[in-house]
């Protein structure tokens, strides 16, 4: 694939074929370093000899030349260090080209067992299919769909508004709006070449990230619209329901060595011979409890983080120190209404917006901490012409948040003033939705984010973790979902694991500290999500901080609304 070439996918979206920098081999790095140092030394030697000459103009010309040469040499050396050290360590760019490709030495004998069949588990299973003879996904909920939802089972909320019944009782944001970032799409494209074809089946429209209105901390940012044929990275604006179903369909259709088992994992079994790895997992099924052998085990059970809480300890790996777990509670709740725009109304609604109605972000507003605001808004057009209106807040319940379009309009007015007015087209959009409420048939959902937690397995003592075990996604770190990083983090975890798998021959046992090595590799890429999100959340008075910390920690990252004075 030629770097920077353009291709057009089956959905009619132009995309940029991304460049994938790879680590510079050590011999090449040493040779280039010698060249840089030699040239720099030669330049300085020539300059010194010229300083002895009487022609001052010539002398200063050479001084300038030497300065430029020094800048070029330092810049070249910095690029080499970045490419050889920082990019492979801190980013996923060197791992992306390998994901989804066959191993040169063939698959490992035995089976990988994935505990949990949600998005993180499905992505991990797809990767493991390239490394093991077979993969088993154990998922507690039965009869999960592989086709776009056709029928919607409805019920009435306590406030009298209609809502949908979720088939995924364990997934809090199953109907919640999501904005899957470029790393997720880039990874899936490599694991599933038929991604675009199947996405069309689900009504997805991949789109560059755009904002018709973006407000951050009381500052209105310029409108950003990127047409479909731009070089901007593609994202996936979609509901969790449809995107998870798409990935499950891809796994079932294109990964023949992956199978599914309905049941609940109840524990790990430690191998008796070496005592340093797992022999498998115990599962509670409709036919009773059974043992499933495993050559490798991946915990993708999500926010329950059951490996840390009991499975590892019960299997003889532990007890793990309490200090490995950090948590805090932002006390965030949000309300969402979903409006399905009929095809004949799309032109009318689109004409109200600056750039028309396109998939992606329409309106996004983060609160202004300088004014003590705690509430944010986001409107996004998702697959199948679903316009989602979301209002969330720190430190309040969903009872105090707007649900109906009339309440959303009033809330928008209350959170803007003459100095920072909301755009007039936004109120026209509210009016149009209210006028066509019967045709759009909105339904509502309330969400409680809950506490956020991070298990710092990378700090575990050497040899304290099973050599053939890993955890991915929320099983390691549950970050604040309003920042849209959860699935990106799961993909980064999977890429780190894939990279380490490829460094170990298929016939070789996993090193005793393989698990800790994996977590130490992953944390260098994902740790900033936890630290950054926590620092911003600490800017809200309703947040309950981690033990031993106060809301003053991380104050440098708070959005304080002082940009107006710049």
């Amino acid at each position: 694939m030629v770097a920077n070439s353009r291709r057009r996918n089956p959905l009619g979206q132009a995309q940029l074929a991304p460049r994938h920098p790879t680590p510079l081999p050590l011999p090449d790095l040493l040779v280039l370093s010698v060249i840089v140092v030699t040239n720099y030394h030669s330049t300085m030697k020539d300059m010194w000899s010229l300083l002895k000459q009487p022609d001052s103009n010539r002398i200063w010309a050479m001084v300038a030349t030497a300065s430029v040469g020094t800048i070029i040499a330092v810049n070249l050396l910095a690029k080499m260090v970045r490419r050889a050290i920082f990019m492979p360590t801190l980013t996923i760019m060197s791992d992306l080209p390998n994901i989804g490709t066959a191993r040169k030495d063939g698959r490992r004998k035995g089976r990988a067992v994935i505990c949990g069949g949600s998005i993180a588990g499905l992505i991990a299973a797809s990767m493991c299919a390239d490394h093991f003879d077979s993969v088993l996904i154990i998922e507690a909920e039965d009869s999960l769909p592989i086709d776009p939802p056709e029928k919607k089972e409805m019920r009435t909320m306590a406030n009298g508004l209609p809502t949908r019944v979720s088939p995924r009782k364990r997934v809090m944001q199953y109907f919640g709006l999501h904005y899957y970032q470029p790393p997720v799409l880039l990874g899936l494209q490599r694991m599933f070449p038929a991604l675009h074809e199947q996405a069309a089946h689900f009504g997805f429209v991949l789109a560059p990230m755009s904002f018709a209105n973006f407000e951050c901390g009381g500052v209105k940012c310029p409108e950003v619209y990127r047409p479909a044929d731009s070089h901007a990275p593609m994202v996936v604006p979609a509901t969790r329901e449809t995107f998870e179903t798409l990935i499950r369909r891809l796994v079932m259709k294109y990964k023949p060595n992956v199978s599914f088992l309905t049941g609940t994992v109840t524990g790990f079994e430690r191998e008796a011979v070496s005592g340093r790895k797992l022999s498998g997992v115990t599962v509670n099924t409709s036919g009773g409890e059974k043992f499933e052998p495993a050559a490798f085990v991946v915990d993708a059970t999500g926010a329950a983080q059951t490996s840390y809480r009991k499975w590892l300890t019960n299997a003889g790996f532990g007890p793990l120190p309490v200090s490995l777990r950090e948590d805090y509670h932002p006390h965030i709740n949000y309300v969402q209404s979903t409006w399905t725009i009929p095809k004949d109304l799309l032109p009318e609604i689109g004409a109200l917006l600056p750039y028309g109605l396109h998939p992606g972000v329409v309106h996004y507003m983060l609160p202004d901490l300088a004014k003590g605001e705690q509430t944010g808004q986001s409107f996004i057009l998702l697959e199948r012409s679903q316009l989602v209106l979301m209002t969330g807040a720190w430190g309040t319940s969903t009872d105090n948040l707007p649900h109906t379009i009339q309440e959303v309009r009033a809330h928008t007015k209350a959170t803007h003033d003459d100095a920072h007015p909301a755009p007039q087209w936004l109120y026209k959009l509210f009016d149009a939705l209210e006028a066509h409420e019967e045709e759009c048939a909105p339904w509502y959902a309330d969400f409680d984010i809950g506490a956020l937690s991070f298990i710092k397995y990378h700090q575990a003592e050497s040899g304290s973790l099973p050599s053939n075990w890993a955890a991915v996604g929320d099983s390691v770190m549950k970050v604040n979902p309003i920042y849209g990083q959860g699935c990106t983090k799961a993909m980064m975890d999977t890429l780190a694991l894939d990279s380490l798998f490829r460094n170990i021959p298929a016939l070789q046992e996993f090193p005793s500290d393989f698990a800790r090595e994996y977590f130490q590799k992953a944390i260098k890429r994902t740790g900033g999500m936890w630290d950054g999100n926590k620092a911003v959340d600490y800017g809200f008075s309703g947040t309950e901080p981690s033990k031993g910390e106060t809301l003053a920690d991380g104050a440098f990252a708070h959005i304080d609304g002082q940009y107006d004075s710049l």
Side-chain angles (χ1 to χ4, degrees):
M1 184 178 294
V2 180
N4 287 331
S5 65
R6 295 188 49 178
R7 64 186 186 276
R8 188 167 293 276
N9 64 48
L11 301 182
Q13 300 278 352
Q15 285 186 279
L16 179 66
R19 300 174 64 183
H20 307 295
T22 55
L24 202 64
L26 183 58
D28 292 352
L29 178 61
L30 293 176
V31 169
L32 287 173
S33 299
V34 170
I35 292 173
V36 170
V37 173
T38 301
N39 287 342
Y40 175 71
H41 178 267
S42 176
T43 301
M44 295 302 294
K45 183 178 179 181
D46 291 343
M47 186 192 73
W48 179 251
S49 64
L50 286 171
L51 285 174
K52 300 178 181 179
Q53 303 300 319
D55 190 344
S56 60
N57 291 333
R58 188 178 180 186
I59 292 175
W60 288 113
M62 288 307 299
V63 169
T65 302
S67 300
V68 172
T70 301
I71 293 173
I72 293 174
V74 171
N75 185 50
L76 177 59
L77 184 60
K79 286 183 177 180
M80 290 189 297
V81 171
R82 181 184 65 182
R83 184 174 179 179
I85 300 175
F86 293 122
M87 293 196 73
T89 303
L90 304 179
T91 79
I92 62 174
M93 296 309 294
S94 61
D95 294 339
L96 269 172
N98 297 322
I99 191 79
T101 63
R103 292 178 60 100
K104 295 180 180 179
D105 57 350
R107 295 189 178 110
R108 285 180 168 272
K109 300 298 181 183
R111 178 176 65 175
V113 171
I114 314 298
C115 307
S118 195
I119 290 180
L122 292 168
I123 292 175
S126 303
M127 178 274 295
C128 286
D130 295 325
H131 295 279
F132 296 87
D133 281 341
S134 64
V135 180
L136 176 66
I137 299 176
I138 302 174
E139 169 55 46
E141 295 180 306
D142 194 11
S143 302
L144 296 178
I146 60 171
D147 285 302
E150 298 296 338
K151 295 183 180 180
K152 300 177 181 179
E153 183 181 355
M154 308 296 293
R155 67 176 179 86
T156 302
M157 301 169 66
N159 57 11
L161 296 173
T163 189
R164 284 188 61 188
V165 177
S166 173
R168 298 283 275 143
K169 308 300 181 185
R170 299 174 180 228
V171 179
M172 183 269 295
Q173 289 182 296
Y174 191 62
F175 293 134
L177 66 87
H178 284 67
Y179 215 66
Y180 301 97
Q181 298 182 22
V184 179
L185 183 59
L186 291 172
L188 290 176
Q189 283 174 326
R190 284 155 179 77
M191 288 192 281
F192 301 104
L195 173 66
H196 295 287
E197 171 192 336
Q198 293 298 319
H201 175 68
F202 281 78
F204 283 119
V205 178
L206 310 182
M209 187 174 290
S210 300
F211 297 94
N213 185 60
F214 186 91
E215 301 173 33
C216 183
V219 178
K220 180 175 173 55
C221 303
E223 297 170 350
V224 176
Y225 172 68
R226 300 182 177 95
D229 61 351
S230 69
H231 283 197
M234 293 291 175
V235 295
V236 185
T239 60
R240 168 68 176 263
E241 174 189 30
T242 308
F243 194 64
E244 181 182 304
T245 304
L246 167 64
I247 301 177
R248 187 178 299 109
R249 179 185 180 90
L250 289 167
V251 172
M252 290 186 171
K253 190 174 179 67
Y254 298 103
K255 299 293 181 181
N257 62 333
V258 176
S259 59
F260 289 76
L261 172 66
T262 301
T264 302
V265 176
T266 56
F268 294 158
E269 292 292 332
R270 187 172 187 166
E271 191 220 28
V273 179
S274 68
R276 64 181 181 82
K277 65 180 183 178
L278 301 176
S279 60
V281 303
T282 54
V283 187
N284 187 19
T285 69
S286 58
E289 189 167 85
K290 59 186 299 188
F291 173 75
E292 293 291 345
F296 198 90
V297 177
V298 177
D299 180 0
T301 54
Q305 299 173 336
T306 320
S307 285
Y308 172 79
R309 290 194 300 106
K310 57 182 180 180
W311 288 346
L312 290 174
T313 299
N314 292 346
F317 295 92
L320 296 175
V322 176
S323 59
L324 291 186
R325 178 185 172 96
E326 179 185 359
D327 56 9
Y328 73 97
H329 201 315
H331 293 285
I332 295 178
N333 292 274
Y334 72 90
V335 172
Q336 174 180 300
S337 62
T338 303
W339 302 64
T340 303
I341 312 298
K343 289 184 178 179
D344 59 337
L345 279 180
L346 285 173
E348 177 184 337
I349 300 295
L352 301 175
L353 276 63
Y355 301 109
L357 191 58
H358 300 281
V361 174
V362 175
H363 166 69
Y364 194 82
M365 183 190 76
L366 287 174
D368 186 349
L369 293 181
K371 297 180 180 179
E373 294 177 354
Q374 304 284 313
T375 307
Q377 278 186 332
S378 180
F379 305 159
I380 298 180
L381 183 67
L382 305 180
E383 79 279 2
R384 298 191 169 193
S385 302
Q386 297 180 91
L387 182 62
V388 175
L389 281 59
M390 186 272 283
T391 304
W394 285 256
T396 190
S397 70
T398 54
D399 294 337
N400 299 321
L401 295 172
H403 287 72
T404 67
I405 194 65
Q406 295 84 0
E407 293 171 346
V408 171
R409 182 195 291 111
H411 175 81
T412 303
K413 289 182 178 179
T415 52
H416 290 79
D417 53 28
D418 293 339
H420 300 94
Q424 286 303 307
W425 61 259
L426 198 55
Y427 295 109
K428 292 180 181 179
L429 174 62
F430 296 153
D431 295 341
L433 291 176
E434 184 175 11
H436 297 287
E437 186 167 354
E438 185 175 350
E439 300 102 300
C440 297
W443 54 274
Y444 305 83
D446 293 349
F447 300 96
D448 181 353
I449 297 301
L452 308 174
S453 55
F454 176 21
I455 310 300
K456 300 180 180 180
Y457 288 117
H458 62 288
Q459 296 180 358
E461 291 185 6
S462 177
S464 63
L465 302 175
S467 61
N468 62 337
W469 166 85
V472 296
D474 287 356
S475 298
V476 184
M477 180 195 300
K478 178 187 175 184
V479 293
N480 192 334
I482 70 165
Y483 303 123
Q485 298 172 325
C487 290
T488 297
K489 177 173 53 63
M491 180 60 75
M492 288 181 169
D493 288 342
T494 300
L495 286 164
L497 192 56
D498 177 75
S499 174
L500 292 180
F501 279 161
R502 294 180 186 278
N503 290 337
I504 303 174
L507 297 178
Q508 180 179 316
E509 287 279 331
F510 291 107
S512 59
D513 250 3
F514 177 85
R516 196 171 72 137
E517 182 182 357
Y518 153 69
F519 288 114
Q520 289 176 344
K521 180 181 180 70
I523 191 62
K524 293 174 183 176
R525 302 170 177 187
T526 62
M529 296 182 184
W530 176 263
D531 295 335
N533 291 355
K534 186 177 71 168
V536 174
D537 288 338
Y538 277 19
F540 297 93
S541 59
T543 297
E544 183 180 343
S546 296
K547 184 177 180 180
E549 296 184 348
T550 70
L551 294 184
D553 292 301
F556 68 94
H558 298 166
I559 304 171
D560 61 8
Q562 300 303 311
Y563 303 108
D564 292 331
S565 62
L566 298 180

